[in-house]
Amino acid sequence: MEQKNGTLLEIHDLSVSFQMYEHGIGNSNLYRGLKQTDLQVISDLHLTVYPGEIVAVAGSSGSGKSVFASAILGILPDNATVRGHLHYKGEELTAARQRQLRGTEIALVPQSVAFLDPLMKVGAQVDGHRKSQPTEKRRSLFRRFDLPDKTPQLYPFELSGGMARRVLVSTAFITDAQLIIADEPTPGMGLEQALEALRLFREMAEEGKAVILITHDIDLAIAFADRVAVFYAGTTVETAFASDFKNGSDALRHPYSKALWNALPQNGFVPIEGFQPYAGNLPKGCLFAPRCPYKKAQCTADVPPIREVRGGEVRCYYDV
């Protein structure tokens, strides 16, 4: 896909840490008070989103995908510290601007159905406080998602898991948001319902809006996204066109992206040794270095910068 002029969302050097407390234990094994620590969950994350595209954020569990979404929206807990540069339509995304845009220009499809208010009927939750006759639009959405006519009168506890997921997706589609952040939107849906949701995301992109599709399913990302941002241990290691994944591992730039491609069932299901490091136990230098077959001394000493390589972006010292 040819990228549009002008960016919608720009994220540079984003870091998120959580202030934690743990018990201090002395040599006598007695309680010594509380020790404060900062748990780094996201570090030096970089991503640019353009109008008219779907950007898939792909990575395994624990790679920071949901924290990343919450940082954009400004809905992290009070013990979180956010550093870096976030800009929406060229303006800094401050806490005040996040509150202003949240639910209007920027909408979230949350991962958990617990986001539905258990004390409010479904129809009222989807319609929200909008006054531009959203009910007919909601009816159309519910028909597309094959939700029964009685659904608006039900409470969340009366919905199946798949129904609740479709209702959550509807809350984002009914807005006039220019940016939709969909955090694992399709689990629990039937195949046709999931495909319908993804077709709706595609329609939004064709209208000039943008979608960030958070997923651990590489096949899904490749099929529906324009670009794929690969997350590893809380940072972006590569951003590539989805077609690069279709063209095979040689078209990709980062060793982890190549490993993801090789681990797909249709590509031999080849595993990679080791495990993704988690917050609190991150290695020095490149976060992938302990598992990388191409690592050199520089990789374990310094964090690689983001570079443009063959039309994509990669956080690696070497073009492999």
Side-chain angles (χ1 to χ4, degrees):
M1 186 194 98
E2 183 179 348
Q3 292 179 348
K4 311 292 189 299
N5 291 327
T7 58
L8 188 66
L9 181 70
E10 293 180 88
I11 300 172
H12 298 284
D13 302 320
L14 176 68
S15 295
V16 179
S17 60
F18 293 92
Q19 190 176 86
M20 311 290 287
Y21 292 89
E22 58 185 20
H23 291 301
I25 303 296
N27 294 332
S28 60
N29 204 34
L30 296 175
Y31 171 71
R32 297 275 305 274
L34 294 175
K35 178 183 177 182
Q36 179 180 313
T37 61
D38 287 321
L39 196 65
Q40 189 87 10
V41 176
I42 287 179
S43 54
D44 302 316
L45 190 146
H46 175 86
L47 185 66
T48 302
V49 179
Y50 295 87
E53 68 170 352
I54 298 177
V55 178
V57 171
S60 60
S61 298
S63 59
K65 301 187 298 296
S66 294
V67 173
F68 158 74
S70 296
I72 296 172
L73 289 155
I75 56 174
L76 289 167
D78 291 340
N79 66 327
T81 299
V82 180
R83 297 183 179 88
H85 306 281
L86 290 87
H87 289 80
Y88 177 77
K89 292 185 176 179
E91 295 184 23
E92 184 180 358
L93 201 54
T94 62
R97 195 153 186 253
Q98 286 171 323
R99 288 192 297 270
Q100 178 188 13
L101 298 176
R102 193 164 56 230
T104 55
E105 282 211 33
I106 304 177
L108 172 69
V109 179
Q111 184 175 151
S112 173
V113 295
F115 273 76
L116 291 172
D117 187 338
L119 303 179
M120 184 183 292
K121 290 183 179 180
V122 163
Q125 292 195 57
V126 175
D127 288 347
H129 300 292
R130 287 164 286 276
K131 298 180 180 179
S132 55
Q133 296 183 329
T135 302
E136 183 54 40
K137 188 174 183 180
R138 184 246 298 157
R139 288 181 184 138
S140 176
L141 284 168
F142 279 16
R143 284 194 295 267
R144 290 190 68 168
F145 283 135
D146 197 26
L147 286 164
D149 292 340
K150 65 178 181 179
T151 302
Q153 300 304 314
L154 300 178
Y155 289 95
F157 76 89
E158 298 177 286
L159 306 176
S160 68
M163 289 174 68
R165 180 68 61 185
R166 284 174 272 162
V167 167
L168 270 180
V169 173
S170 298
T171 62
F173 284 136
I174 205 169
T175 70
D176 293 321
Q178 297 300 301
L179 174 64
I180 300 287
I181 304 173
D183 191 357
E184 300 282 4
T186 58
M189 292 187 190
L191 176 60
E192 186 52 42
Q193 295 156 0
L195 291 174
E196 185 64 24
L198 293 166
R199 284 192 286 266
L200 278 165
F201 287 132
R202 185 73 265 164
E203 289 174 13
M204 295 187 72
E206 295 301 325
E207 293 171 1
K209 301 175 181 180
V211 179
I212 297 176
L213 176 62
I214 298 175
T215 180
H216 65 276
D217 188 334
I218 290 291
D219 283 328
L220 180 71
I222 296 170
F224 284 90
D226 299 291
R227 293 188 296 136
V228 180
V230 180
F231 276 33
Y232 183 81
T235 195
T236 36
V237 294
E238 178 170 355
T239 303
F241 285 97
S243 57
D244 292 342
F245 282 86
K246 296 176 183 178
N247 292 332
S249 64
D250 288 344
L252 300 172
R253 299 150 191 82
H254 196 276
Y256 180 62
S257 303
K258 295 174 182 287
L260 283 180
W261 190 91
N262 290 325
L264 294 174
Q266 65 268 32
N267 299 329
F269 207 32
V270 180
I272 183 173
E273 294 184 1
F275 300 92
Q276 175 181 253
Y278 288 92
N281 191 33
L282 298 178
K284 187 179 179 182
C286 175
L287 298 179
F288 188 65
R291 305 174 69 187
C292 183
Y294 307 99
K295 69 179 177 183
K296 299 181 181 180
Q298 186 180 20
C299 302
T300 57
D302 303 304
V303 176
I306 287 283
R307 298 187 299 129
E308 292 189 10
V309 175
R310 289 185 277 120
E313 295 179 331
V314 62
R315 187 181 294 280
C316 187
Y317 285 117
Y318 308 100
D319 182 10
V320 297

